[in-house]
Amino acid sequence: GENVEQHPSTLSVQEGDSAVIKCTYSDSASNYFPWYKQELGKRPQLIIDIRSNVGEKKDQRIAVTLNKTAKHFSLHITETQPEDSAVYFCAATNAGGTSYGKLTFGQGTILTVHP
Amino acid sequence: EAQVTQNPRYLITVTGKKLTVTCSQNMNHEYMSWYRQDPGLGLRQIYYSMNVEVTDKGDVPEGYKVSRKEKRNFPLILESPSPNQTSLYFCASSLRTGEWRIQYFGAGTRLSVL
């Protein structure tokens, strides 16, 4: 089955710096890679995702890149703000047709942005 | 209001006492899923369902059962809970067409098995 490794487990940055979180996956059949943000005591929420036919996707201060050959994908947050402090999870799945089924998450990264 | 509702939010029980955590969504979503969250291990999928009467195992199904008799409900059953099932549990749902990418999570159920 799929295995997703996420690094680093904790990341501390100063406000305004960039943050990068990396994930690797094992199953070459995986074709959909979402990222979730979970604030303290809250439920996870989708923040950005990417399909395997795209190399990069950007949404304001966040971007995701995908390297299919190396089987890794990364989340980039620029101009970090204290409200970016949260746990971030990557995930991978083989989204056949219009939906995913089995979804495998990484271990999570605790991001702390210091004012 | 569109939502995924889990009950109970908190539960303390003893080893071997059967329990059910309910999950209900009001968005007519076909896809529903259960996850457990443990420190350092991230979110791990327990079971998922693509539609009524269609369920499949996730990565950690041992010790759990599910059923999907109605589209809106997807209960998680622990027939004989053990301490290693102490965890934070999330139910989630999404469409299978259109904006299927967006999974809506419930607020979570914190379970302690003594």
Side-chain angles (χ1 to χ4, degrees), chain A residues 38 49 98 100-103, chain B residues 31 37 96 100-101 103:
Chain A
Q38 186 180 28
D49 55 5
T98 57
Y100 39 63
K102 195 172 181 182
L103 187 61
Chain B
Y31 179 91
Q37 183 174 9
R96 286 201 68 191
W100 64 266
R101 298 154 41 248
Q103 266 199 110

